[in-house]
Amino acid sequence: MGKEASSSFIEDYWQNLKEGIMNYKHKVQYYETDMMGITHHSNYVRWMEEARIEFMKDFGWDYSLNDEFGISAPVISSSCEYKKTTTFGDVIEIEVLVEEYNSVRLKFLYFMYNAKGDVVCIGRTTHCFLSKEGRIIIIKKVLPSLEETLLKIYSLSKETISKR
Amino acid sequence: MGKEASSSFIEDYWQNLKEGIMNYKHKVQYYETDMMGITHHSNYVRWMEEARIEFMKDFGWDYSLNDEFGISAPVISSSCEYKKTTTFGDVIEIEVLVEEYNSVRLKFLYFMYNAKGDVVCIGRTTHCFLSKEGRIIIIKKVLPSLEETLLKIYSLSKETISKR
Amino acid sequence: MGKEASSSFIEDYWQNLKEGIMNYKHKVQYYETDMMGITHHSNYVRWMEEARIEFMKDFGWDYSLNDEFGISAPVISSSCEYKKTTTFGDVIEIEVLVEEYNSVRLKFLYFMYNAKGDVVCIGRTTHCFLSKEGRIIIIKKVLPSLEETLLKIYSLSKETISKR
Amino acid sequence: MGKEASSSFIEDYWQNLKEGIMNYKHKVQYYETDMMGITHHSNYVRWMEEARIEFMKDFGWDYSLNDEFGISAPVISSSCEYKKTTTFGDVIEIEVLVEEYNSVRLKFLYFMYNAKGDVVCIGRTTHCFLSKEGRIIIIKKVLPSLEETLLKIYSLSKETISKR
């Protein structure tokens, strides 16, 4: 958890968000469409995973956490509100925010945009933290530097959401 | 919409539910697992689609409705609460209920069980009704026999849910 | 490896094949279609895996072999010849045969049929045998009873293929 | 079919290949892994589609050909030789070449590399050309400029393959 490194990353990320620059893009693949000619709705959950993994890695939470500290953050719930259809070739920009965080539970909020800037889907995933043995972990106690990072992201996320 | 036919089907379906007999089963495939050794969470949304399509067909709502009446019922939201992990070879039984229905919106509720009878996932999908031209359809006005069927299923679903 | 049990299963399997009764069926799911309105070609490889796993289990080769003997049979090549398109709701029957076997390499041949009995796809997968440590295993030396079963299946497969 | 535009693109593409610069990259997603901890083998066929579509678009063959000329190029066979396993987070570079072309049939050859430059998979797909009505099309007769482009790519591909 390089705190310094991720701190500057956090500033950049939010500066980008303010300017409407998303950090993650997914191009809709042909095999992701269905016979209605649109993206099958099950794929958005997968893109949320793609964007979340990149986002977390950028903030210093690599899958190496699993190896180093034996911490995993399984998905305990997920949801999608489909606002507009998308299809083959569309480039979807995905904004990841933290909607809730309290050291034992983390809720991500995802806004997905098409090239015109329309929101095509709003997603959410909730995660808990587990040790290698499958026990609930309290981040504050186990990884104070991660706690600090997540609290900062949570605070910036709240601010971002409230301004809309 | 064979009303008589589907009516008797409805009775059978609820009789089965009372006795704990599910109508739809999905066997977890090897390609549905991920590197954690469990079913990847994105698959549950697909199984909900499988179960819903079978359920609707059994009640007389075939994809032929699309052809005959030009009515489709797109997914406008979906959600999953993951209760227990599942993995390769597990047979998942899926119970489909109607949690809300008001002639313009239909909300399905899915209980998914493992072989031991534990709930592994609770899912929901919300649907609207669209004409071929993409306009909102009010079922009551366009397909009274479907309205009747859906109201009956909704009423039996409420009863089932309240008894738990 | 219950040799007796699987022996009688082998007889039944080939008796069924002679009568045109396939042992594995896959119903094409909505999410398996693409914007051309047909099954996306990448799914056939997955169905081959489904059918192969069932076939092997029926002959006594469970995934328990992995646990008990630490033997796995990774796919080292795969191929598909697409003969006819299929789509949502089609029930595909899959016939699994052994096209080659020599104690270090196993080649499966798959015929996939639609409801009319037309071949829709011919597939092949080649497998080697690996120990837990990733070393090549020679079945004849390590599991003579499996060798016997596979040779019998190979012989019946050759006979079946030659008669067509 | 902007012949001039695609011509210069062809030069660039082959210059890149000579220098070992691939034009298409796919990052292995978490949801593409299986319980063995590696990429599930069915995904490579999908990445071949991704790379092929980009490659064809770069040479001026857009999906707009479908709209403008009603020409499609369905996959009639596919194959993969799996050389090395890959897993979550790996960036796979994909080289697309034309192994055969004769105006009615087009065979793509794909080399997929990991970050170390090892070949992880060699793939092939064969395509025919169909009109909107589903009739076989002879490119030479219908789209001479596409014929010219494909012949040039075929010739450069042969040269590239022969030098290895």
Side-chain angles (χ1 to χ4, degrees), chain A residues 24 26-27 29-32 46 49-50 53-54 57 63 88, chain D residues 24 26-27 29-32 46 49-50 53-54 57 63 88:
Chain A
Y24 194 78
H26 176 97
K27 192 167 186 177
Q29 300 301 330
Y30 192 83
Y31 59 75
E32 294 179 317
R46 300 187 161 193
E49 181 181 87
E50 294 182 19
I53 287 172
E54 280 299 303
K57 202 177 70 179
Y63 264 67
F88 169 60
Chain D
Y24 193 79
H26 176 96
K27 192 167 185 176
Q29 299 301 331
Y30 192 82
Y31 58 75
E32 294 179 319
R46 299 187 161 192
E49 181 182 88
E50 294 182 20
I53 287 171
E54 279 299 303
K57 202 176 72 178
Y63 265 68
F88 169 59

mmCIF file of all heavy atoms in Angstrom, chain A residues 24 26-27 29-32 46 49-50 53-54 57 63 88, chain D residues 24 26-27 29-32 46 49-50 53-54 57 63 88:
data_model
loop_
_atom_site.group_PDB
_atom_site.id
_atom_site.type_symbol
_atom_site.label_atom_id
_atom_site.label_comp_id
_atom_site.label_asym_id
_atom_site.label_seq_id
_atom_site.Cartn_x
_atom_site.Cartn_y
_atom_site.Cartn_z
ATOM 1 N N TYR A 24 -11.848 4.253 -16.898
ATOM 2 C CA TYR A 24 -11.955 2.912 -17.444
ATOM 3 C C TYR A 24 -12.909 2.886 -18.634
ATOM 4 O O TYR A 24 -14.001 3.453 -18.571
ATOM 5 C CB TYR A 24 -12.434 1.910 -16.383
ATOM 6 C CG TYR A 24 -12.203 0.506 -16.869
ATOM 7 C CD1 TYR A 24 -10.938 -0.060 -16.821
ATOM 8 C CD2 TYR A 24 -13.240 -0.217 -17.457
ATOM 9 C CE1 TYR A 24 -10.694 -1.324 -17.326
ATOM 10 C CE2 TYR A 24 -13.006 -1.481 -17.970
ATOM 11 C CZ TYR A 24 -11.738 -2.017 -17.895
ATOM 12 O OH TYR A 24 -11.507 -3.260 -18.415
ATOM 13 N N HIS A 26 -14.632 0.262 -21.678
ATOM 14 C CA HIS A 26 -14.858 -1.087 -22.197
ATOM 15 C C HIS A 26 -15.537 -0.960 -23.552
ATOM 16 O O HIS A 26 -16.575 -0.311 -23.673
ATOM 17 C CB HIS A 26 -15.740 -1.890 -21.237
ATOM 18 C CG HIS A 26 -16.067 -3.254 -21.773
ATOM 19 N ND1 HIS A 26 -15.365 -4.382 -21.413
ATOM 20 C CD2 HIS A 26 -17.004 -3.661 -22.669
ATOM 21 C CE1 HIS A 26 -15.860 -5.418 -22.058
ATOM 22 N NE2 HIS A 26 -16.849 -5.006 -22.831
ATOM 23 N N LYS A 27 -14.967 -1.616 -24.555
ATOM 24 C CA LYS A 27 -15.576 -1.616 -25.885
ATOM 25 C C LYS A 27 -16.492 -2.834 -25.981
ATOM 26 O O LYS A 27 -16.049 -3.961 -25.724
ATOM 27 C CB LYS A 27 -14.466 -1.691 -26.932
ATOM 28 C CG LYS A 27 -14.953 -1.409 -28.338
ATOM 29 C CD LYS A 27 -13.789 -1.182 -29.288
ATOM 30 C CE LYS A 27 -14.294 -0.760 -30.661
ATOM 31 N NZ LYS A 27 -13.168 -0.460 -31.557
ATOM 32 N N GLN A 29 -18.086 -5.928 -27.159
ATOM 33 C CA GLN A 29 -17.674 -6.941 -28.122
ATOM 34 C C GLN A 29 -18.878 -7.560 -28.827
ATOM 35 O O GLN A 29 -19.977 -7.580 -28.276
ATOM 36 C CB GLN A 29 -16.871 -8.043 -27.415
ATOM 37 C CG GLN A 29 -15.606 -7.532 -26.742
ATOM 38 C CD GLN A 29 -14.648 -6.858 -27.727
ATOM 39 O OE1 GLN A 29 -14.599 -7.210 -28.904
ATOM 40 N NE2 GLN A 29 -13.907 -5.869 -27.251
ATOM 41 N N TYR A 30 -18.627 -8.079 -29.999
ATOM 42 C CA TYR A 30 -19.685 -8.728 -30.778
ATOM 43 C C TYR A 30 -20.329 -9.863 -29.973
ATOM 44 O O TYR A 30 -21.554 -10.001 -29.940
ATOM 45 C CB TYR A 30 -19.095 -9.280 -32.082
ATOM 46 C CG TYR A 30 -20.144 -9.707 -33.065
ATOM 47 C CD1 TYR A 30 -20.745 -8.771 -33.898
ATOM 48 C CD2 TYR A 30 -20.548 -11.032 -33.149
ATOM 49 C CE1 TYR A 30 -21.728 -9.153 -34.789
ATOM 50 C CE2 TYR A 30 -21.532 -11.417 -34.035
ATOM 51 C CZ TYR A 30 -22.117 -10.479 -34.854
ATOM 52 O OH TYR A 30 -23.100 -10.866 -35.722
ATOM 53 N N TYR A 31 -19.484 -10.645 -29.290
ATOM 54 C CA TYR A 31 -19.999 -11.789 -28.522
ATOM 55 C C TYR A 31 -20.756 -11.360 -27.268
ATOM 56 O O TYR A 31 -21.298 -12.202 -26.567
ATOM 57 C CB TYR A 31 -18.873 -12.770 -28.174
ATOM 58 C CG TYR A 31 -17.722 -12.205 -27.370
ATOM 59 C CD1 TYR A 31 -17.851 -11.947 -26.006
ATOM 60 C CD2 TYR A 31 -16.496 -11.936 -27.964
ATOM 61 C CE1 TYR A 31 -16.787 -11.437 -25.275
ATOM 62 C CE2 TYR A 31 -15.431 -11.424 -27.241
ATOM 63 C CZ TYR A 31 -15.591 -11.179 -25.898
ATOM 64 O OH TYR A 31 -14.538 -10.663 -25.173
ATOM 65 N N GLU A 32 -20.794 -10.083 -26.980
ATOM 66 C CA GLU A 32 -21.567 -9.589 -25.826
ATOM 67 C C GLU A 32 -22.977 -9.153 -26.218
ATOM 68 O O GLU A 32 -23.764 -8.782 -25.353
ATOM 69 C CB GLU A 32 -20.816 -8.446 -25.141
ATOM 70 C CG GLU A 32 -19.503 -8.903 -24.503
ATOM 71 C CD GLU A 32 -18.723 -7.784 -23.826
ATOM 72 O OE1 GLU A 32 -18.636 -6.677 -24.410
ATOM 73 O OE2 GLU A 32 -18.179 -8.020 -22.735
ATOM 74 N N ARG A 46 -20.082 -7.762 -15.356
ATOM 75 C CA ARG A 46 -18.688 -8.102 -15.656
ATOM 76 C C ARG A 46 -17.840 -6.848 -15.859
ATOM 77 O O ARG A 46 -16.701 -6.779 -15.416
ATOM 78 C CB ARG A 46 -18.632 -9.000 -16.900
ATOM 79 C CG ARG A 46 -19.391 -10.289 -16.685
ATOM 80 C CD ARG A 46 -19.217 -11.274 -17.817
ATOM 81 N NE ARG A 46 -19.592 -12.603 -17.343
ATOM 82 C CZ ARG A 46 -19.342 -13.731 -17.967
ATOM 83 N NH1 ARG A 46 -18.703 -13.725 -19.118
ATOM 84 N NH2 ARG A 46 -19.712 -14.888 -17.460
ATOM 85 N N GLU A 49 -16.891 -5.351 -12.657
ATOM 86 C CA GLU A 49 -15.729 -6.032 -12.082
ATOM 87 C C GLU A 49 -14.434 -5.529 -12.722
ATOM 88 O O GLU A 49 -13.454 -5.247 -12.028
ATOM 89 C CB GLU A 49 -15.858 -7.544 -12.286
ATOM 90 C CG GLU A 49 -14.696 -8.334 -11.686
ATOM 91 C CD GLU A 49 -14.838 -9.831 -11.936
ATOM 92 O OE1 GLU A 49 -14.394 -10.310 -13.002
ATOM 93 O OE2 GLU A 49 -15.399 -10.512 -11.087
ATOM 94 N N GLU A 50 -14.430 -5.416 -14.043
ATOM 95 C CA GLU A 50 -13.242 -4.911 -14.744
ATOM 96 C C GLU A 50 -12.828 -3.543 -14.202
ATOM 97 O O GLU A 50 -11.664 -3.317 -13.853
ATOM 98 C CB GLU A 50 -13.539 -4.740 -16.246
ATOM 99 C CG GLU A 50 -13.795 -6.024 -16.999
ATOM 100 C CD GLU A 50 -14.024 -5.779 -18.494
ATOM 101 O OE1 GLU A 50 -13.641 -4.713 -19.012
ATOM 102 O OE2 GLU A 50 -14.602 -6.659 -19.157
ATOM 103 N N ILE A 53 -11.644 -3.569 -10.426
ATOM 104 C CA ILE A 53 -10.301 -4.126 -10.237
ATOM 105 C C ILE A 53 -9.234 -3.099 -10.639
ATOM 106 O O ILE A 53 -8.252 -2.896 -9.930
ATOM 107 C CB ILE A 53 -10.146 -5.458 -11.020
ATOM 108 C CG1 ILE A 53 -10.934 -6.560 -10.307
ATOM 109 C CG2 ILE A 53 -8.682 -5.837 -11.159
ATOM 110 C CD1 ILE A 53 -11.035 -7.875 -11.079
ATOM 111 N N GLU A 54 -9.460 -2.404 -11.754
ATOM 112 C CA GLU A 54 -8.527 -1.353 -12.181
ATOM 113 C C GLU A 54 -8.472 -0.225 -11.162
ATOM 114 O O GLU A 54 -7.409 0.268 -10.798
ATOM 115 C CB GLU A 54 -8.954 -0.776 -13.543
ATOM 116 C CG GLU A 54 -8.567 -1.590 -14.736
ATOM 117 C CD GLU A 54 -7.061 -1.755 -14.879
ATOM 118 O OE1 GLU A 54 -6.319 -0.752 -14.948
ATOM 119 O OE2 GLU A 54 -6.638 -2.921 -14.907
ATOM 120 N N LYS A 57 -6.710 -1.293 -8.008
ATOM 121 C CA LYS A 57 -5.279 -1.429 -8.256
ATOM 122 C C LYS A 57 -4.621 -0.054 -8.289
ATOM 123 O O LYS A 57 -3.552 0.148 -7.719
ATOM 124 C CB LYS A 57 -5.040 -2.162 -9.579
ATOM 125 C CG LYS A 57 -3.676 -2.814 -9.686
ATOM 126 C CD LYS A 57 -3.518 -3.584 -10.973
ATOM 127 C CE LYS A 57 -3.429 -2.632 -12.158
ATOM 128 N NZ LYS A 57 -3.241 -3.362 -13.434
ATOM 129 N N TYR A 63 -4.380 -7.339 -6.299
ATOM 130 C CA TYR A 63 -4.711 -8.695 -5.896
ATOM 131 C C TYR A 63 -3.589 -9.276 -5.044
ATOM 132 O O TYR A 63 -3.748 -10.299 -4.405
ATOM 133 C CB TYR A 63 -5.030 -9.563 -7.116
ATOM 134 C CG TYR A 63 -6.514 -9.599 -7.331
ATOM 135 C CD1 TYR A 63 -7.205 -8.465 -7.717
ATOM 136 C CD2 TYR A 63 -7.259 -10.761 -7.076
ATOM 137 C CE1 TYR A 63 -8.570 -8.470 -7.871
ATOM 138 C CE2 TYR A 63 -8.630 -10.775 -7.226
ATOM 139 C CZ TYR A 63 -9.283 -9.639 -7.624
ATOM 140 O OH TYR A 63 -10.640 -9.668 -7.755
ATOM 141 N N PHE A 88 -22.795 -3.532 -29.977
ATOM 142 C CA PHE A 88 -21.477 -3.828 -30.553
ATOM 143 C C PHE A 88 -20.720 -2.578 -31.014
ATOM 144 O O PHE A 88 -21.256 -1.783 -31.792
ATOM 145 C CB PHE A 88 -21.677 -4.766 -31.748
ATOM 146 C CG PHE A 88 -20.453 -4.955 -32.585
ATOM 147 C CD1 PHE A 88 -19.292 -5.475 -32.032
ATOM 148 C CD2 PHE A 88 -20.450 -4.618 -33.928
ATOM 149 C CE1 PHE A 88 -18.151 -5.656 -32.801
ATOM 150 C CE2 PHE A 88 -19.323 -4.797 -34.714
ATOM 151 C CZ PHE A 88 -18.170 -5.320 -34.148
ATOM 152 N N TYR D 24 -3.182 -5.765 -31.575
ATOM 153 C CA TYR D 24 -4.332 -5.972 -30.701
ATOM 154 C C TYR D 24 -3.907 -6.599 -29.382
ATOM 155 O O TYR D 24 -3.132 -7.556 -29.371
ATOM 156 C CB TYR D 24 -5.394 -6.852 -31.381
ATOM 157 C CG TYR D 24 -6.683 -6.777 -30.612
ATOM 158 C CD1 TYR D 24 -7.519 -5.683 -30.753
ATOM 159 C CD2 TYR D 24 -7.012 -7.754 -29.680
ATOM 160 C CE1 TYR D 24 -8.669 -5.560 -30.001
ATOM 161 C CE2 TYR D 24 -8.168 -7.643 -28.925
ATOM 162 C CZ TYR D 24 -8.995 -6.545 -29.102
ATOM 163 O OH TYR D 24 -10.125 -6.427 -28.342
ATOM 164 N N HIS D 26 -5.413 -7.956 -25.522
ATOM 165 C CA HIS D 26 -6.549 -8.288 -24.659
ATOM 166 C C HIS D 26 -6.007 -8.583 -23.268
ATOM 167 O O HIS D 26 -5.116 -9.417 -23.109
ATOM 168 C CB HIS D 26 -7.298 -9.508 -25.202
ATOM 169 C CG HIS D 26 -8.420 -9.937 -24.299
ATOM 170 N ND1 HIS D 26 -9.722 -9.552 -24.483
ATOM 171 C CD2 HIS D 26 -8.413 -10.688 -23.170
ATOM 172 C CE1 HIS D 26 -10.473 -10.056 -23.518
ATOM 173 N NE2 HIS D 26 -9.709 -10.747 -22.702
ATOM 174 N N LYS D 27 -6.555 -7.913 -22.275
ATOM 175 C CA LYS D 27 -6.156 -8.170 -20.888
ATOM 176 C C LYS D 27 -7.098 -9.238 -20.335
ATOM 177 O O LYS D 27 -8.326 -9.083 -20.410
ATOM 178 C CB LYS D 27 -6.280 -6.871 -20.084
ATOM 179 C CG LYS D 27 -5.627 -6.958 -18.722
ATOM 180 C CD LYS D 27 -5.503 -5.577 -18.092
ATOM 181 C CE LYS D 27 -4.739 -5.660 -16.782
ATOM 182 N NZ LYS D 27 -4.521 -4.309 -16.214
ATOM 183 N N GLN D 29 -9.451 -11.055 -18.123
ATOM 184 C CA GLN D 29 -10.331 -10.605 -17.043
ATOM 185 C C GLN D 29 -10.504 -11.695 -15.992
ATOM 186 O O GLN D 29 -10.384 -12.880 -16.296
ATOM 187 C CB GLN D 29 -11.694 -10.204 -17.619
ATOM 188 C CG GLN D 29 -11.627 -9.065 -18.623
ATOM 189 C CD GLN D 29 -11.025 -7.782 -18.053
ATOM 190 O OE1 GLN D 29 -11.128 -7.507 -16.860
ATOM 191 N NE2 GLN D 29 -10.351 -7.017 -18.889
ATOM 192 N N TYR D 30 -10.833 -11.253 -14.806
ATOM 193 C CA TYR D 30 -11.064 -12.191 -13.700
ATOM 194 C C TYR D 30 -12.147 -13.203 -14.080
ATOM 195 O O TYR D 30 -12.011 -14.394 -13.829
ATOM 196 C CB TYR D 30 -11.474 -11.413 -12.450
ATOM 197 C CG TYR D 30 -11.443 -12.246 -11.208
ATOM 198 C CD1 TYR D 30 -10.247 -12.456 -10.528
ATOM 199 C CD2 TYR D 30 -12.584 -12.857 -10.717
ATOM 200 C CE1 TYR D 30 -10.203 -13.241 -9.394
ATOM 201 C CE2 TYR D 30 -12.544 -13.648 -9.587
ATOM 202 C CZ TYR D 30 -11.351 -13.838 -8.928
ATOM 203 O OH TYR D 30 -11.312 -14.632 -7.820
ATOM 204 N N TYR D 31 -13.218 -12.707 -14.709
ATOM 205 C CA TYR D 31 -14.345 -13.593 -15.060
ATOM 206 C C TYR D 31 -14.008 -14.548 -16.213
ATOM 207 O O TYR D 31 -14.843 -15.372 -16.577
ATOM 208 C CB TYR D 31 -15.612 -12.782 -15.374
ATOM 209 C CG TYR D 31 -15.485 -11.777 -16.504
ATOM 210 C CD1 TYR D 31 -15.467 -12.173 -17.844
ATOM 211 C CD2 TYR D 31 -15.398 -10.419 -16.238
ATOM 212 C CE1 TYR D 31 -15.369 -11.256 -18.865
ATOM 213 C CE2 TYR D 31 -15.294 -9.487 -17.251
ATOM 214 C CZ TYR D 31 -15.288 -9.910 -18.561
ATOM 215 O OH TYR D 31 -15.184 -8.989 -19.581
ATOM 216 N N GLU D 32 -12.833 -14.419 -16.779
ATOM 217 C CA GLU D 32 -12.421 -15.341 -17.843
ATOM 218 C C GLU D 32 -11.601 -16.518 -17.295
ATOM 219 O O GLU D 32 -11.225 -17.409 -18.049
ATOM 220 C CB GLU D 32 -11.626 -14.591 -18.918
ATOM 221 C CG GLU D 32 -12.494 -13.572 -19.675
ATOM 222 C CD GLU D 32 -11.730 -12.778 -20.734
ATOM 223 O OE1 GLU D 32 -10.576 -12.365 -20.483
ATOM 224 O OE2 GLU D 32 -12.294 -12.557 -21.814
ATOM 225 N N ARG D 46 -13.061 -16.116 -28.515
ATOM 226 C CA ARG D 46 -13.656 -14.782 -28.425
ATOM 227 C C ARG D 46 -12.610 -13.697 -28.693
ATOM 228 O O ARG D 46 -12.902 -12.708 -29.371
ATOM 229 C CB ARG D 46 -14.274 -14.586 -27.039
ATOM 230 C CG ARG D 46 -15.364 -15.598 -26.766
ATOM 231 C CD ARG D 46 -16.109 -15.329 -25.489
ATOM 232 N NE ARG D 46 -17.385 -16.045 -25.556
ATOM 233 C CZ ARG D 46 -18.390 -15.873 -24.731
ATOM 234 N NH1 ARG D 46 -18.293 -15.000 -23.752
ATOM 235 N NH2 ARG D 46 -19.508 -16.550 -24.870
ATOM 236 N N GLU D 49 -12.027 -13.301 -32.309
ATOM 237 C CA GLU D 49 -13.059 -12.456 -32.909
ATOM 238 C C GLU D 49 -12.752 -10.976 -32.678
ATOM 239 O O GLU D 49 -12.841 -10.159 -33.593
ATOM 240 C CB GLU D 49 -14.434 -12.810 -32.325
ATOM 241 C CG GLU D 49 -15.567 -11.991 -32.921
ATOM 242 C CD GLU D 49 -16.904 -12.325 -32.284
ATOM 243 O OE1 GLU D 49 -17.259 -11.718 -31.252
ATOM 244 O OE2 GLU D 49 -17.597 -13.208 -32.808
ATOM 245 N N GLU D 50 -12.392 -10.631 -31.446
ATOM 246 C CA GLU D 50 -12.045 -9.239 -31.123
ATOM 247 C C GLU D 50 -10.945 -8.736 -32.058
ATOM 248 O O GLU D 50 -11.064 -7.665 -32.669
ATOM 249 C CB GLU D 50 -11.517 -9.133 -29.680
ATOM 250 C CG GLU D 50 -12.511 -9.431 -28.600
ATOM 251 C CD GLU D 50 -11.916 -9.242 -27.194
ATOM 252 O OE1 GLU D 50 -10.898 -8.538 -27.061
ATOM 253 O OE2 GLU D 50 -12.496 -9.792 -26.229
ATOM 254 N N ILE D 53 -11.973 -8.531 -35.871
ATOM 255 C CA ILE D 53 -12.847 -7.392 -36.181
ATOM 256 C C ILE D 53 -12.034 -6.098 -36.264
ATOM 257 O O ILE D 53 -12.209 -5.297 -37.175
ATOM 258 C CB ILE D 53 -14.000 -7.302 -35.141
ATOM 259 C CG1 ILE D 53 -15.015 -8.422 -35.399
ATOM 260 C CG2 ILE D 53 -14.678 -5.940 -35.190
ATOM 261 C CD1 ILE D 53 -16.076 -8.578 -34.311
ATOM 262 N N GLU D 54 -11.101 -5.910 -35.327
ATOM 263 C CA GLU D 54 -10.235 -4.724 -35.358
ATOM 264 C C GLU D 54 -9.369 -4.725 -36.613
ATOM 265 O O GLU D 54 -9.222 -3.699 -37.280
ATOM 266 C CB GLU D 54 -9.307 -4.714 -34.132
ATOM 267 C CG GLU D 54 -9.934 -4.196 -32.872
ATOM 268 C CD GLU D 54 -10.413 -2.756 -32.990
ATOM 269 O OE1 GLU D 54 -9.625 -1.860 -33.317
ATOM 270 O OE2 GLU D 54 -11.625 -2.560 -32.761
ATOM 271 N N LYS D 57 -11.415 -4.009 -39.701
ATOM 272 C CA LYS D 57 -11.822 -2.607 -39.707
ATOM 273 C C LYS D 57 -10.657 -1.730 -40.141
ATOM 274 O O LYS D 57 -10.822 -0.814 -40.950
ATOM 275 C CB LYS D 57 -12.309 -2.192 -38.315
ATOM 276 C CG LYS D 57 -13.219 -0.974 -38.331
ATOM 277 C CD LYS D 57 -13.742 -0.657 -36.948
ATOM 278 C CE LYS D 57 -12.616 -0.096 -36.081
ATOM 279 N NZ LYS D 57 -13.106 0.278 -34.730
ATOM 280 N N TYR D 63 -18.035 -3.291 -40.317
ATOM 281 C CA TYR D 63 -19.333 -3.947 -40.300
ATOM 282 C C TYR D 63 -20.321 -3.194 -41.186
ATOM 283 O O TYR D 63 -21.387 -3.700 -41.493
ATOM 284 C CB TYR D 63 -19.843 -4.113 -38.869
ATOM 285 C CG TYR D 63 -19.489 -5.476 -38.351
ATOM 286 C CD1 TYR D 63 -18.166 -5.810 -38.109
ATOM 287 C CD2 TYR D 63 -20.459 -6.465 -38.179
ATOM 288 C CE1 TYR D 63 -17.817 -7.070 -37.687
ATOM 289 C CE2 TYR D 63 -20.113 -7.735 -37.757
ATOM 290 C CZ TYR D 63 -18.793 -8.028 -37.511
ATOM 291 O OH TYR D 63 -18.458 -9.287 -37.110
ATOM 292 N N PHE D 88 -5.545 -14.408 -15.119
ATOM 293 C CA PHE D 88 -6.019 -13.075 -14.763
ATOM 294 C C PHE D 88 -4.902 -12.016 -14.766
ATOM 295 O O PHE D 88 -3.885 -12.193 -14.096
ATOM 296 C CB PHE D 88 -6.649 -13.146 -13.363
ATOM 297 C CG PHE D 88 -6.943 -11.809 -12.761
ATOM 298 C CD1 PHE D 88 -7.787 -10.918 -13.394
ATOM 299 C CD2 PHE D 88 -6.378 -11.444 -11.547
ATOM 300 C CE1 PHE D 88 -8.064 -9.676 -12.831
ATOM 301 C CE2 PHE D 88 -6.655 -10.210 -10.973
ATOM 302 C CZ PHE D 88 -7.493 -9.330 -11.621
#
